[in-house]
mmCIF file of all heavy atoms in Angstrom:
data_model
loop_
_atom_site.group_PDB
_atom_site.id
_atom_site.type_symbol
_atom_site.label_atom_id
_atom_site.label_comp_id
_atom_site.label_asym_id
_atom_site.label_seq_id
_atom_site.Cartn_x
_atom_site.Cartn_y
_atom_site.Cartn_z
ATOM 1 N N THR A 169 70.633 -117.076 40.276
ATOM 2 C CA THR A 169 71.608 -118.162 40.163
ATOM 3 C C THR A 169 71.336 -119.012 38.925
ATOM 4 O O THR A 169 72.255 -119.345 38.169
ATOM 5 C CB THR A 169 71.578 -119.037 41.426
ATOM 6 O OG1 THR A 169 71.883 -118.234 42.565
ATOM 7 C CG2 THR A 169 72.572 -120.179 41.327
ATOM 8 N N LEU A 170 70.081 -119.358 38.719
ATOM 9 C CA LEU A 170 69.740 -120.151 37.539
ATOM 10 C C LEU A 170 69.997 -119.370 36.260
ATOM 11 O O LEU A 170 70.443 -119.928 35.256
ATOM 12 C CB LEU A 170 68.267 -120.568 37.607
ATOM 13 C CG LEU A 170 67.877 -121.488 38.761
ATOM 14 C CD1 LEU A 170 66.380 -121.757 38.750
ATOM 15 C CD2 LEU A 170 68.644 -122.796 38.696
ATOM 16 N N GLU A 171 69.746 -118.073 36.302
ATOM 17 C CA GLU A 171 69.988 -117.227 35.128
ATOM 18 C C GLU A 171 71.477 -117.199 34.783
ATOM 19 O O GLU A 171 71.846 -117.080 33.610
ATOM 20 C CB GLU A 171 69.476 -115.823 35.418
ATOM 21 C CG GLU A 171 69.519 -114.887 34.226
ATOM 22 C CD GLU A 171 68.992 -113.502 34.563
ATOM 23 O OE1 GLU A 171 69.435 -112.937 35.592
ATOM 24 O OE2 GLU A 171 68.142 -112.983 33.827
ATOM 25 N N ALA A 172 72.323 -117.321 35.808
ATOM 26 C CA ALA A 172 73.779 -117.308 35.596
ATOM 27 C C ALA A 172 74.341 -118.717 35.411
ATOM 28 O O ALA A 172 75.529 -118.945 35.636
ATOM 29 C CB ALA A 172 74.466 -116.625 36.778
ATOM 30 N N ASP A 173 73.492 -119.655 35.014
ATOM 31 C CA ASP A 173 73.917 -121.034 34.758
ATOM 32 C C ASP A 173 74.566 -121.680 35.980
ATOM 33 O O ASP A 173 75.540 -122.417 35.869
ATOM 34 C CB ASP A 173 74.878 -121.108 33.564
ATOM 35 C CG ASP A 173 74.182 -120.770 32.256
ATOM 36 O OD1 ASP A 173 72.972 -121.063 32.145
ATOM 37 O OD2 ASP A 173 74.828 -120.217 31.353
ATOM 38 N N GLY A 174 74.011 -121.403 37.165
ATOM 39 C CA GLY A 174 74.468 -122.087 38.366
ATOM 40 C C GLY A 174 75.504 -121.351 39.173
ATOM 41 O O GLY A 174 75.898 -121.820 40.240
ATOM 42 N N THR A 175 75.953 -120.202 38.712
ATOM 43 C CA THR A 175 76.901 -119.409 39.485
ATOM 44 C C THR A 175 76.127 -118.507 40.438
ATOM 45 O O THR A 175 75.259 -117.746 40.011
ATOM 46 C CB THR A 175 77.780 -118.547 38.561
ATOM 47 O OG1 THR A 175 78.522 -119.409 37.687
ATOM 48 C CG2 THR A 175 78.748 -117.704 39.374
ATOM 49 N N VAL A 176 76.444 -118.602 41.725
ATOM 50 C CA VAL A 176 75.766 -117.769 42.718
ATOM 51 C C VAL A 176 76.420 -116.388 42.670
ATOM 52 O O VAL A 176 77.476 -116.162 43.257
ATOM 53 C CB VAL A 176 75.860 -118.386 44.128
ATOM 54 C CG1 VAL A 176 74.997 -117.595 45.111
ATOM 55 C CG2 VAL A 176 75.402 -119.842 44.105
ATOM 56 N N THR A 177 75.809 -115.471 41.945
ATOM 57 C CA THR A 177 76.367 -114.140 41.739
ATOM 58 C C THR A 177 76.228 -113.295 43.001
ATOM 59 O O THR A 177 75.503 -113.648 43.933
ATOM 60 C CB THR A 177 75.653 -113.447 40.581
ATOM 61 O OG1 THR A 177 74.248 -113.338 40.902
ATOM 62 C CG2 THR A 177 75.806 -114.251 39.286
ATOM 63 N N GLN A 178 76.912 -112.156 43.010
ATOM 64 C CA GLN A 178 76.862 -111.289 44.191
ATOM 65 C C GLN A 178 75.455 -110.757 44.465
ATOM 66 O O GLN A 178 75.028 -110.720 45.628
ATOM 67 C CB GLN A 178 77.855 -110.135 44.023
ATOM 68 C CG GLN A 178 78.150 -109.389 45.319
ATOM 69 C CD GLN A 178 78.678 -110.305 46.412
ATOM 70 O OE1 GLN A 178 79.489 -111.180 46.164
ATOM 71 N NE2 GLN A 178 78.202 -110.112 47.632
ATOM 72 N N PRO A 179 74.687 -110.336 43.436
ATOM 73 C CA PRO A 179 73.292 -109.931 43.726
ATOM 74 C C PRO A 179 72.475 -111.069 44.332
ATOM 75 O O PRO A 179 71.629 -110.834 45.203
ATOM 76 C CB PRO A 179 72.758 -109.514 42.355
ATOM 77 C CG PRO A 179 73.973 -109.114 41.583
ATOM 78 C CD PRO A 179 75.055 -110.025 42.044
ATOM 79 N N ALA A 180 72.727 -112.305 43.887
ATOM 80 C CA ALA A 180 72.015 -113.437 44.473
ATOM 81 C C ALA A 180 72.414 -113.629 45.930
ATOM 82 O O ALA A 180 71.569 -113.901 46.790
ATOM 83 C CB ALA A 180 72.303 -114.714 43.670
ATOM 84 N N VAL A 181 73.701 -113.484 46.230
ATOM 85 C CA VAL A 181 74.168 -113.612 47.619
ATOM 86 C C VAL A 181 73.500 -112.563 48.505
ATOM 87 O O VAL A 181 73.082 -112.853 49.636
ATOM 88 C CB VAL A 181 75.707 -113.473 47.676
ATOM 89 C CG1 VAL A 181 76.184 -113.404 49.118
ATOM 90 C CG2 VAL A 181 76.363 -114.657 46.963
ATOM 91 N N GLN A 182 73.383 -111.349 48.000
ATOM 92 C CA GLN A 182 72.743 -110.292 48.783
ATOM 93 C C GLN A 182 71.286 -110.639 49.072
ATOM 94 O O GLN A 182 70.799 -110.431 50.197
ATOM 95 C CB GLN A 182 72.845 -108.967 48.030
ATOM 96 C CG GLN A 182 74.280 -108.456 47.892
ATOM 97 C CD GLN A 182 74.377 -107.238 46.988
ATOM 98 O OE1 GLN A 182 73.389 -106.772 46.439
ATOM 99 N NE2 GLN A 182 75.593 -106.716 46.831
#
Side-chain angles (χ1 to χ4, degrees):
T169 301
L170 296 177
E171 187 180 49
D173 292 329
T175 299
V176 187
T177 60
Q178 195 57 41
V181 172
Q182 294 173 359

